[in-house]
Amino acid sequence: MSDRLFDELVEETKRLYQEKFGSAPEILVAAPGRVNLIGEHTDYNGGYVFPMAIERYTIVAASKTGASEATIYSNNTRATAKFSLTGDMTPPEKVDWTSYVQGSIACSIEKGAKTTGFNAVINSNVPLGGGLSSSASLEVSIATLMEELSGVKFPGTVKPLLCQKAEHVFAKMACGIMDQFISALGVKDCAMLLDCRSCEPKMIPLSDPNVSVLITNSNVKHSLTGSEYPERRASCEEAARRLGASLLREISMETLLASKDKLIDEVNGDRLFRRARHAIGEDVRTLKMADALVAGDWDTVGEQMYASHDSLRDDYEVSCVEIDALVEIAREIGKSGGVIGSRITGGGFGGCTVSLVQTDKIDEITQKYRDEYKKRTGNDATIFATRPAQGARVL
Ligand code: GLA
């Protein structure tokens, strides 16, 4: 997204604030969505992920009031709600947009960021439910606002971890750490190689102007997601347990292959083995891809992306026909047509693919993705290019 689009989003948010609350906002914060280049379903296994922040943001405009609670309007849901500032950690029964906001407020307060009442407007152009972490960007934007309102600055990993807790407790989604981490701590023009066991990020420049990141939204969302994510997580935990480890990260591919029979039984067939083979293989691919990126070895980068996709499709079973069609189209265009590599990104069951492409071929590739996707699935894809963006900040 160009600076112009970002500026427009900020201006729109200020205008909405003025309309809703009758004055100009005193504070503006932004937190980006993310795309994961590789390292999928590895974070909760203590493995490696390789995301970057994207030029799509949740903006929050706010001012303090004399009230005891917060009044917040979401332009995305066109709804206003009131939020307690007592730090009460009891989640409401129903999960909706207010759960992320209330969770992030409560968990920020728990970490010392206390504030008096405020008014705020939330306005986001991160596609909702598209696998680009609209929820994490919402949580992180609110935590960043809480820092600003309270004067308490969360050091290091505190902000991503409190936002993850908000998602676990209030949105009842047992996510890993990747999304909140990159939204909070992303660095412009860099992807983040994150070791999810030690929580140590390493910034890897992705600034070659000849290579661009293209995100293709399949615009499909299969409704299985709710139960499938915890099921994958539980399978990995069970596989680790049977292999005598607390996390699959601790198991090498050699050990896994040598212990295959421990993961095969009548109830599960080879399902646990395949889940583990994905998680363990994905760590290897992620480290290989990060090295290849540093070396400018684009062939290896592409191979890792396609191998990751195949593994997520066959072993982890989180892809779907629409997403497979997009990756197939990318493969057909190939290196000669300017596509370096492509894969499903995010939790799966729909959502987006991420492709690395030659910058001077973006227009042709976009057109081909659009036409072929429509021809093969009957659906329209939404496609945009992005550079690695800055993580959450006060504007
Ligand atoms: C979702 C979760 C992340 C991660 C990905 C899969 O985005 O929020 O923690 O597990 O799925 O890589």
Side-chain angles (χ1 to χ4, degrees):
M1 181 167 77
S2 68
D3 288 349
R4 190 177 56 77
L5 284 179
F6 178 74
D7 293 346
E8 277 173 17
L9 186 68
V10 173
E11 284 312 311
E12 182 186 44
T13 315
K14 284 200 227 168
R15 205 172 48 243
L16 285 165
Y17 187 93
Q18 179 78 41
E19 276 167 32
K20 294 282 158 200
F21 298 113
S23 62
E26 286 158 9
I27 302 171
L28 281 159
V29 300
R34 66 98 188 93
V35 69
N36 190 20
L37 296 175
I38 197 166
E40 216 67 79
H41 289 278
T42 47
D43 57 357
Y44 50 81
N45 289 307
Y48 293 92
V49 293
F50 198 29
M52 56 174 244
I54 57 172
E55 295 163 305
R56 290 288 183 282
Y57 301 88
T58 298
I59 308 282
V60 186
S63 295
K64 274 198 184 181
T65 61
S68 59
E69 52 188 9
T71 302
I72 305 183
Y73 171 73
S74 161
N75 190 42
N76 297 90
T77 55
R78 302 273 196 274
T80 303
K82 294 214 182 276
F83 297 86
S84 150
L85 297 170
T86 60
D88 181 4
M89 292 293 288
T90 327
E93 269 296 294
K94 194 171 144 263
V95 174
D96 60 18
W97 71 278
T98 63
S99 316
Y100 301 92
V101 176
Q102 187 66 69
S104 194
I105 290 175
C107 293
S108 295
I109 293 171
E110 191 184 47
K111 288 287 167 199
K114 295 198 174 59
T115 176
T116 53
F118 61 93
N119 290 331
V121 166
I122 297 168
N123 192 22
S124 181
N125 67 1
V126 184
L128 299 186
L132 299 175
S133 291
S134 53
S135 335
S137 79
L138 177 55
E139 292 148 10
V140 172
S141 67
I142 295 294
T144 306
L145 174 67
M146 292 297 284
E147 284 182 295
E148 201 53 18
L149 288 165
S150 66
V152 171
K153 183 99 188 79
F154 299 127
T157 60
V158 171
K159 186 154 59 176
L161 289 172
L162 80 82
C163 289
Q164 183 197 30
K165 183 171 180 184
E167 180 132 355
H168 284 190
V169 177
F170 285 78
K172 302 180 177 102
M173 156 70 175
C175 62
I177 188 57
M178 167 168 70
D179 307 345
Q180 292 79 8
F181 230 92
I182 185 68
S183 180
L185 303 175
V187 172
K188 191 169 162 48
D189 288 329
C190 289
M192 177 193 274
L193 179 64
L194 178 64
D195 177 333
C196 298
R197 187 170 58 178
S198 65
C199 281
E200 272 168 36
K202 191 169 157 198
M203 293 304 164
I204 309 252
L206 188 62
S207 49
D208 184 340
N210 299 315
V211 176
S212 292
V213 178
L214 201 62
I215 295 174
T216 306
N217 193 338
S218 66
N219 290 317
V220 299
K221 187 87 204 150
H222 293 281
S223 54
L224 295 166
T225 339
S227 58
E228 294 287 340
Y229 188 91
E231 186 277 324
R232 294 302 181 285
R233 203 177 165 146
S235 296
C236 288
E237 284 161 7
E238 172 65 9
R241 197 189 59 73
R242 290 195 195 181
L243 297 171
S246 53
L247 291 165
L248 281 179
R249 155 72 182 271
E250 294 155 22
I251 308 289
S252 69
M253 190 55 94
E254 291 69 38
T255 306
L256 172 75
L257 296 176
S259 323
K260 189 173 176 181
D261 50 344
K262 290 192 184 151
L263 299 185
I264 295 182
D265 60 46
E266 279 186 6
V267 179
N268 295 291
D270 68 350
R271 193 169 52 84
L272 291 181
F273 170 73
R274 287 185 293 111
R275 302 294 191 248
R277 182 166 62 186
H278 165 73
I280 293 166
E282 187 77 350
D283 275 345
V284 177
R285 287 185 286 273
T286 302
L287 293 174
K288 252 196 203 165
M289 172 155 162
D291 281 348
L293 209 89
V294 172
D297 174 0
W298 298 109
D299 285 352
T300 303
V301 166
E303 281 160 21
Q304 303 315 306
M305 290 180 85
Y306 288 124
S308 166
H309 183 77
D310 293 348
S311 174
L312 286 155
R313 181 193 59 209
D314 302 334
D315 274 356
Y316 221 64
E317 297 177 284
V318 291
S319 191
C320 59
V321 286
E322 295 86 350
I323 290 284
D324 289 342
L326 283 170
V327 175
E328 225 22 71
I329 296 162
R331 274 192 228 256
E332 287 165 21
I333 299 171
K335 273 189 286 184
S336 61
V339 179
I340 295 164
S342 187
R343 56 182 286 283
I344 184 174
T345 188
F349 307 103
C352 295
T353 64
V354 57
S355 307
L356 289 181
V357 303
Q358 249 175 263
T359 303
D360 59 358
K361 300 238 168 75
I362 281 189
D363 291 344
E364 287 155 67
I365 294 167
T366 302
Q367 198 55 48
K368 276 199 192 140
Y369 276 11
R370 193 167 280 138
D371 294 347
E372 280 299 314
Y373 183 62
K374 180 82 180 172
K375 209 192 281 171
R376 295 179 198 193
T377 67
N379 294 330
D380 291 310
T382 313
I383 306 175
F384 64 95
T386 179
R387 306 231 47 101
Q390 184 66 35
R393 62 193 194 275
V394 179
L395 304 176

